[in-house]
Amino acid sequence: MFDFSIITTWFDGLLRNTLGLGDLASILIECVVVGLLILLSYAVFAIILIFMERKVCAYFQCRLGPMRVGPWGLLQVLADVLKMLIKEIFPVDKADKFLYTLAPFLVLIGSVGAYSFLPWNKGASILDFNVGIFLVTAVSSIGVLGIFMAGWSSNNKFGVVSAMRGAVQMISYEMSLGLCLITAVILTGTMQMSGIVESQADGWLIFKGHIPALIAFFVFLIAGNAEANRGPFDLAEAESELTAGYHTEYSGMGFGFFYLAEYLNLFIVAGLAATVFLGGWMPLHIGGWEGFNAIMDYIPGIVWFLGKTFMLIWVLLWIKWTYPRLRIDQILKLEWKYLMPLSLLNLVLMTIVVAFGLHF
């Protein structure tokens, strides 16, 4: 399997040896290049996901979706982006100007930070700390502050109710998310993202960890869907009750940042699930099938990662456009009375499996 560290080592050697740049200049250029790649891929995936959801939604509702702008409607999202960029931004009376302006940036920073931890391929991990699982949960929590600040600072009663709903829901479901990730850490023995992927070289975690791994996987998908404020857990943006929710008073790119972060949070949840439970960029290997395994190794790791991620995204979209929106009391009851106790029990069960060597 191709190792992207070959490219990064070559680029570093080009800056230091060929161009004769010092350590500070080389590191600065490398950080700028990596930052541009993160932002570019972030925007591209947002466009893909918006178009994908519109088409999937249309399929479930027996219609065609966007068709007029470009062939098969492929340029519709770009037209929407252009409209958002040139749209007038209206001032909000009696709003807290500083917090109102800061909130969209906090939501975007939390989303981009969590996005940067995803390992795309062998040697292609942007942020790969030895406590990566801990950091990705900590960074992603910044978005909760942005959502609450947006609703409270906009001086809108719908925004305040939406912010309270969103904050309570996201903080609640972070408990189950964290417990599911800890369950995976116990089985793999590491918190480093690349280490978790490499520990699945002889089998994906959902196969190695028996029933506890399967339970953690399904609970992670449910809790991740709620954490991303996606249907049927989209109470913070219930348009029949709260107009647009916490971003009711936002227009232009202020609204655009919330829109971008929502779709990329969906990608992050699916990418984390694919990384931790489905082997990330590791190919599918079956014991004793050497020929099959050799063929699977020819498929690039980034193809495996994106394939698994988009498969999970499609499942989450399927859930959104199938089930009706839940009430806020039902959402909290699901977490505190069912998912969290189940996650705690599952954590104990995984500890027993690892302690007695019952896993593959």
Side-chain angles (χ1 to χ4, degrees), residues 119-130:
W120 298 83
N121 197 91
K122 185 177 182 180
S125 299
I126 300 168
L127 297 177
D128 190 28
F129 299 105
N130 58 352

Side-chain angles (χ1 to χ4, degrees), residues 42-357:
Y42 189 91
V44 169
F45 280 116
I47 292 172
I48 293 172
L49 289 172
I50 293 170
F51 183 78
M52 180 180 174
E53 175 161 50
R54 289 175 173 177
K55 286 297 185 179
V56 170
C57 168
Y59 175 79
F60 279 104
Q61 297 176 353
C62 298
R63 36 185 199 85
L64 296 177
M67 292 292 290
R68 297 195 176 186
V69 184
W72 303 289
L74 289 172
L75 301 180
Q76 180 64 55
V77 180
L78 296 178
D80 292 339
V81 171
L82 178 62
K83 180 195 73 172
M84 200 173 295
L85 286 171
I86 63 177
K87 197 169 185 178
E88 181 180 359
I89 299 177
F90 295 96
V92 181
D93 292 337
K94 299 181 181 179
D96 188 313
K97 301 295 183 183
F98 176 73
L99 297 182
Y100 176 84
T101 305
L102 178 63
F105 291 96
L106 281 181
V107 172
L108 196 69
I109 287 170
S111 180
V112 173
Y115 175 79
S116 302
F117 279 92
L118 297 177
W120 298 83
N121 197 91
K122 185 177 182 180
S125 299
I126 300 168
L127 297 177
D128 190 28
F129 299 105
N130 58 352
V131 288
I133 288 292
F134 173 78
L135 284 176
V136 73
T137 54
V139 171
S140 62
S141 300
I142 297 175
V144 181
L145 295 174
I147 287 175
F148 189 79
M149 287 167 52
W152 182 84
S153 64
S154 59
N155 191 34
N156 181 294
K157 59 183 179 181
F158 300 114
V160 172
V161 173
S162 171
M164 294 174 65
R165 283 185 179 183
V168 169
Q169 174 182 318
M170 295 174 73
I171 291 172
S172 298
Y173 278 88
E174 280 178 0
M175 303 295 291
S176 291
L177 276 176
L179 289 172
C180 292
L181 293 175
I182 293 173
T183 303
V185 169
I186 289 175
L187 180 58
T188 58
T190 178
M191 296 181 69
Q192 191 168 4
M193 300 294 284
S194 61
I196 291 175
V197 175
E198 290 168 359
S199 68
Q200 301 177 69
D202 55 343
W204 298 349
L205 192 142
I206 57 169
F207 302 131
K208 294 174 61 177
H210 299 297
I211 295 176
L214 283 173
I215 293 174
F217 175 64
F218 287 117
V219 172
F220 184 90
L221 286 182
I222 296 171
N225 210 16
E227 183 75 10
N229 281 320
R230 303 283 302 173
F233 302 96
D234 54 343
L235 256 293
E237 304 171 23
E239 65 278 355
S240 59
E241 309 165 28
L242 304 174
T243 58
Y246 53 86
H247 50 66
T248 298
E249 299 292 351
Y250 284 88
S251 59
M253 283 312 296
F255 170 77
F257 284 169
F258 287 110
Y259 202 58
L260 277 174
E262 179 179 331
Y263 279 97
L264 262 296
N265 287 340
L266 174 65
F267 183 88
I268 292 165
V269 168
L272 278 175
T275 298
V276 175
F277 298 100
L278 300 180
W281 42 263
M282 280 292 177
L284 175 63
H285 285 168
I286 300 177
W289 294 26
E290 301 303 330
F292 174 82
N293 296 340
I295 294 174
M296 293 297 101
D297 287 339
Y298 281 109
I299 302 176
I302 192 170
V303 174
W304 279 108
F305 174 75
L306 290 177
K308 296 170 187 176
T309 300
F310 276 99
M311 179 194 70
L312 293 177
I313 288 173
W314 188 84
V315 171
L316 295 177
L317 292 178
W318 186 0
I319 292 171
K320 175 178 180 178
W321 297 107
T322 301
Y323 293 100
R325 182 183 292 128
L326 301 175
R327 298 196 312 265
I328 186 63
D329 62 313
Q330 293 172 331
I331 289 177
L332 296 181
K333 182 179 179 181
L334 174 64
E335 164 62 12
W336 291 104
K337 293 187 70 173
Y338 297 101
L339 292 186
M340 186 177 174
L342 178 61
S343 299
L344 285 169
L345 180 62
N346 192 52
L347 182 63
V348 175
L349 185 59
M350 178 62 83
T351 304
I352 295 172
V353 168
V354 173
F356 289 93

